[in-house]
Amino acid sequence: MLTLKRAKIIEIRSERPGYIEVLVDVDGNRHKAICYSALVGDVRQGDDVIVNTTAVDLDLGTGGYHFILCNLSKDSVTSAGDGHIMKLRYTPLQIKCLAAEEENSPYHKTLKDVTSIESMPVIVGTLHSQLPAAAVMVKELLPTAKIAYIMTDGAALPLAFSRLVAELKSAGSIDVTITAGHAFGGDMEAINIFSALAAAKYAAQADVAIVSMGPGIVGSNTRLGFTGMEQGQVINAVNGLKGVPVAIPRISFADKRERHVGISHHTITALTIAAVSRSILTIPEMDRGKANTVNDQIVKERLDQTHTVVQISAGAVISVLKSKNILPTTMGRTLDQDPEFFMAAGAAGIYAANVLLGGK
């Protein structure tokens, strides 16, 4: 069940394309709320709105935000565009999109018969916070490389929710965004991960793609119940399209949860169960104790037999991110608090750049 309440907007806090953050009065109490203009249209101070309070009521990890469902101060909202592909299908908020592959798209003829992405390197992550290190390191080694970020529908669905993507695009660290499945709001829309990869290669003319979900991975403390399982499925898609999948391992020595220490069980499960084809698994060089822990896991889980494990010198990743003032966090931890996490993502970017440069 969802919880809906009437509210009044008392302050506009910030805006970026597709995203408006406001302060609302709900039953005499002030709360943060988010409006996606693609779904609701614009809102202004004084508007009466309906907000979805479900996640905050359950104390879930949404940052304490309500979400505006509709604006009672407007008689109607009309979505612009010529698309005929529906996302959020058969829900009250279904939205029409112009998918890159549909007949009305200028890319339809280009994508119509595509079955290969011709050895394009594709970096495959699980957490949204892996995106910046991977992208920045590709650009650090190959500034002319064109990077497409493909956001899946494994977590947040509106791309506009990601402040990180806005910052990376502004900095030139990613060049084009593609939202796949029910995710929406990218520079290009795609129906599924296969067509998103094709769009990255031939419509966006990207040199490398980075695939990961948006903010807010879903987990359950079970072996299979987490949306990061999609990493294995994306690897299969990349191989099916004759690309080069480069898997980012989720590595941490700062996480207090045993299942995420060293190589996270998320990576192990995705690569041993969901992935039924090989990937390049890039492991950053670390100090001896941490490296031994990771290597023991690789051997125990036979990752070196089912995937190609490559050690990468990634010690510069943290300093490069800092030099560009790109300061991501993961689960609230900074670059200095969880360096191996970001080094692992950067290592995948280094490998992909070297593929483009003709080496490995």
Side-chain angles (χ1 to χ4, degrees), residues 5-239:
K5 294 183 179 180
R6 188 163 181 154
K8 181 179 287 290
I9 297 176
I10 56 178
E11 182 185 337
I12 305 295
R13 293 168 58 96
S14 65
E15 297 185 56
R16 57 179 179 264
Y19 174 101
I20 307 172
E21 183 179 322
V22 304
L23 200 63
V24 295
D25 182 290
V26 183
D27 299 330
N29 297 308
R30 295 187 170 200
H31 296 273
K32 296 179 294 183
I34 291 172
C35 169
Y36 298 116
S37 55
L39 300 177
V40 181
D42 290 333
V43 293
R44 289 294 176 259
Q45 184 173 333
D47 285 353
D48 292 312
V49 296
I50 299 294
V51 292
N52 183 328
T53 68
T54 311
V56 174
D57 293 345
L58 293 174
D59 196 27
L60 298 180
T62 61
Y65 292 101
H66 296 323
F67 292 88
I68 296 178
L69 185 68
C70 68
N71 187 351
L72 299 175
S73 297
K74 284 192 173 182
D75 293 330
S76 64
V77 175
T78 302
S79 176
D82 301 322
H84 292 82
I85 300 302
M86 304 302 291
K87 296 198 175 188
L88 311 184
R89 288 185 289 275
Y90 302 101
T91 73
L93 288 175
Q94 63 181 355
I95 179 175
K96 68 176 182 177
C97 300
L98 178 64
E101 61 268 46
E102 68 171 290
E103 289 187 1
N104 288 348
S105 167
Y107 305 112
H108 173 72
K109 289 184 179 179
T110 299
L111 299 175
K112 185 175 181 180
D113 297 314
V114 168
T115 59
S116 169
I117 56 174
E118 302 179 25
S119 300
M120 180 175 73
V122 180
I123 300 169
V124 187
T126 54
L127 291 175
H128 193 62
S129 49
Q130 293 169 328
L131 171 61
V136 165
M137 293 313 295
V138 172
K139 291 281 191 177
E140 181 71 7
L141 294 178
L142 191 56
T144 59
K146 188 172 185 181
I147 299 177
Y149 167 52
I150 300 174
M151 192 177 96
T152 70
D153 56 10
L157 299 182
L159 183 114
F161 181 68
S162 175
R163 184 175 64 252
L164 186 58
V165 167
E167 292 175 353
L168 291 172
K169 282 201 75 178
S170 177
S173 297
I174 56 176
D175 300 286
V176 63
T177 58
I178 302 171
T179 35
H182 285 284
F184 64 92
D187 298 317
M188 296 181 184
E189 304 282 356
I191 294 173
N192 59 48
I193 186 59
F194 293 88
S195 57
L197 289 164
K201 173 69 175 179
Y202 299 107
Q205 297 186 324
D207 298 300
V208 58
I210 303 175
V211 183
S212 72
M213 66 184 71
I217 188 171
V218 177
S220 63
N221 194 18
T222 64
R223 184 73 186 274
L224 301 177
F226 63 100
T227 50
M229 195 72 156
E230 71 177 23
Q231 185 179 37
Q233 298 167 309
V234 175
I235 288 168
N236 297 336
V238 175
N239 280 317

